[in-house]
Amino acid sequence: MASRHAMMFPFAAIVGQDLMKKALILNVIDPGIGGVLIKGEKGTAKSTTIRSLEQVLPKKEVVKGCPFHCDPRRPEGFCPYCAEKAAAGEKLETETVPTDVIELPLSATEDRVAGTLDLEAVLQTGKKKFEPGILAQANGNLLYVDEINLLEDYIVDMLLDSAAMGTNYVEREGVSFTHPARFVLVGSMNPEEGDLRPQLLDRFGMSVEVKGERDLAQRSEVVSRRLQFDQDPKTFTASYEEETARIRDGIANARVLIKDIEVDRKIIDAAAYLSVYFGMEGHRADITMIRSARANAAYEGRRQVTKADLEAVASLVLGHRLKKKPFEKTSDYDLDDVHRCLEEI
C-alpha cells in the first residue's frame, strides 16, 4: 500500500453501506454515468468511504509533465500544449501515476476552480498563459465536494457542466482557453443542512441516501474495526490488502471489459419501461440506467447485461429523480415495484 494511504481507513474495511460503495465503483468504471451525490446524517462514513476510494483506483498513464495530465491514448482530448507538441511531431513522454481523489474546499472561488488567464502575459508575448485550477487537477481523477449543498449554485453548475462536457472553458476579456476536464464528480451532504436545487440534483447520475447501521452485530463491527485501526493503522490496513487488491483489479478489468459489452434491445426497452412507470422526465434516467447496468455487469465479469443489473442500479438512478408529493419529505420509490415491472416485460 502506498505510503500516502498509510493513515487512511481501508475502503475494503468499510462495514455495510453497500449501495454507496457500489455507486462509487460503477462511476469509476464508467465516468459517463454522471457522478454520485451521497446524502446522509453525520457519522455514516460518507467522507471516509469517498476518500478511501483512492486506495482501489487503478493507476493511469499520462503525458509526463503535462499540467492537465492528458491521456496519451486520447489525442482528440489533448490540452493545447500537448496538441501543439503532437502537431509538431514531438514525441510525448508518458508516465504511470496514481488516480487521485481531489477535494474542493467550500471556500474555493470561481478562479480557483476554473483557473485563470494571465491577460498581461497575453498582451506582452502574444501567447496564452493559463494558471490551472482545481478542474485541471481533477482531470482523469475523482473530484470530491463535501457539504456540496453549501457550495454556491453557480460553482456546482460549473462542476456539473465540466463533468458532462469533459472540458473546462475559461474566457477573460475576449481571450479564451480550453482544457480537458474529465472526472467523476462526487458530492456529499447532510440533508438537515439544506438540499440542492432540483435542477442540480437531477444532473447527478446517481444518488444514495445512507444511514447509520441499525443491526446490532454490524454496528458493533463498525466500532471494533475503528478501534483496531486507531490502535495499529499499519497492521489493520495490511490485513485488508488482499481484498483491496481484489477490488482494484475488478475495477481495472471492468474498464476493459465494458468496451465489448453490447446492450440487448430488450434491456433498453426494460429501462425505458421503468422510466415511464416512475414518471421520469426526459431521457437522462434511461441512458444513465443503461450505462450503470452495463458497468455493473462488467464489474461482475459478464459480457451480457441482464434485468438483474437494471434492478441492482435502479434505486441509485431513479430515487433522486422522483417527484415528491406535497408535504412529503421522501419520494414514493419502492424496489418491489422495480422487480414487478421487470417481471412484466
Side-chain angles (χ1 to χ4, degrees):
M1 188 69 66
S3 59
R4 66 207 205 96
H5 295 155
M7 297 302 294
M8 189 182 295
F9 193 88
F11 181 84
I14 301 289
V15 177
Q17 307 298 8
D18 293 336
L19 271 180
M20 172 166 54
K21 290 185 284 189
K22 179 188 286 290
L24 291 168
I25 288 172
L26 296 184
N27 270 276
V28 171
I29 293 170
D30 181 5
I33 288 172
V36 56
L37 177 65
I38 300 173
K39 305 164 70 173
E41 56 200 18
K42 296 177 181 177
T44 48
K46 299 187 300 294
S47 296
T48 298
T49 304
I50 295 165
R51 290 175 179 135
S52 67
L53 183 69
E54 196 170 86
Q55 301 169 337
V56 299
L57 296 177
K59 291 186 176 182
K60 61 188 178 185
E61 188 179 21
V62 301
V63 175
K64 189 175 183 179
C66 173
F68 309 100
H69 26 267
C70 284
D71 184 343
R73 299 165 301 178
R74 297 177 60 95
E76 73 281 1
F78 277 170
C79 70
Y81 307 136
C82 290
E84 184 178 356
K85 291 178 180 179
E90 185 176 337
K91 183 179 179 181
L92 300 176
E93 291 186 52
T94 64
E95 61 179 340
T96 301
V97 299
T99 302
D100 298 324
V101 173
I102 307 296
E103 292 196 44
L104 186 149
L106 283 177
S107 59
T109 62
E110 183 176 357
D111 284 347
R112 177 72 185 93
V113 175
T116 56
L117 274 163
D118 188 337
L119 297 179
E120 186 176 342
V122 174
L123 293 173
Q124 291 178 348
T125 66
K127 293 185 177 181
K128 297 178 183 179
K129 184 178 180 182
F130 182 75
E131 184 66 33
I134 292 173
L135 289 178
Q137 287 180 268
N139 187 42
N141 292 310
L142 184 147
L143 180 60
Y144 173 42
V145 188
D146 190 15
E147 297 184 312
I148 192 170
N149 53 321
L150 303 183
L151 198 64
E152 294 288 348
D153 280 351
Y154 75 93
I155 297 287
V156 180
D157 216 15
M158 182 196 310
L159 299 178
L160 288 163
D161 280 344
S162 294
M165 296 169 58
T167 58
N168 176 39
Y169 176 80
V170 179
E171 183 176 356
R172 299 287 186 275
E173 304 295 332
V175 180
S176 62
F177 188 91
T178 303
H179 70 78
R182 297 180 178 276
F183 55 88
V184 176
L185 179 63
V186 178
S188 65
M189 55 176 278
N190 183 347
E192 294 177 358
E193 299 172 348
D195 211 337
L196 282 179
R197 286 191 292 116
Q199 297 93 320
L200 296 177
L201 184 62
D202 176 67
R203 293 183 60 191
F204 275 93
M206 292 179 170
S207 178
V208 188
E209 291 196 28
V210 295
K211 297 180 180 179
E213 289 291 344
R214 295 294 181 262
D215 178 80
L216 182 59
Q218 290 279 80
R219 199 175 181 94
S220 296
E221 186 63 18
V222 169
V223 177
S224 175
R225 291 188 188 185
R226 185 72 227 188
L227 292 175
Q228 291 177 60
F229 175 77
D230 290 343
Q231 184 175 0
D232 189 347
K234 188 174 181 180
T235 300
F236 182 81
T237 300
S239 69
Y240 283 92
E241 281 188 355
E242 187 175 331
E243 177 65 9
T244 298
R246 187 191 66 77
I247 298 172
R248 188 191 306 116
D249 291 344
I251 292 173
N253 293 336
R255 281 176 159 181
V256 175
L257 181 60
I258 197 172
K259 299 173 184 177
D260 298 325
I261 296 179
E262 292 187 10
V263 183
D264 189 274
R265 182 56 184 259
K266 290 181 180 179
I267 297 299
I268 297 176
D269 290 344
Y273 184 73
L274 285 174
S275 291
V276 170
Y277 180 88
F278 285 102
M280 297 293 105
E281 295 181 349
H283 303 286
R284 183 174 287 148
D286 311 49
I287 296 169
T288 304
M289 209 175 339
I290 290 296
R291 298 194 75 137
S292 303
R294 184 175 59 183
N296 191 71
Y299 188 58
E300 293 184 2
R302 291 180 283 104
R303 294 179 180 273
Q304 185 175 13
V305 181
T306 67
K307 290 181 182 180
D309 293 309
L310 285 177
E311 191 168 347
V313 303
S315 65
L316 298 170
V317 177
L318 300 176
H320 63 297
R321 293 186 165 90
L322 293 174
K323 291 186 179 297
K324 295 179 181 178
K325 297 178 182 178
F327 310 112
E328 285 189 354
K329 293 184 178 181
T330 59
S331 47
D332 186 19
Y333 177 87
D334 187 345
L335 189 57
D336 289 338
D337 284 349
V338 174
H339 186 73
R340 282 193 294 270
C341 284
L342 292 173
E343 282 192 330
E344 290 174 4
I345 302 174

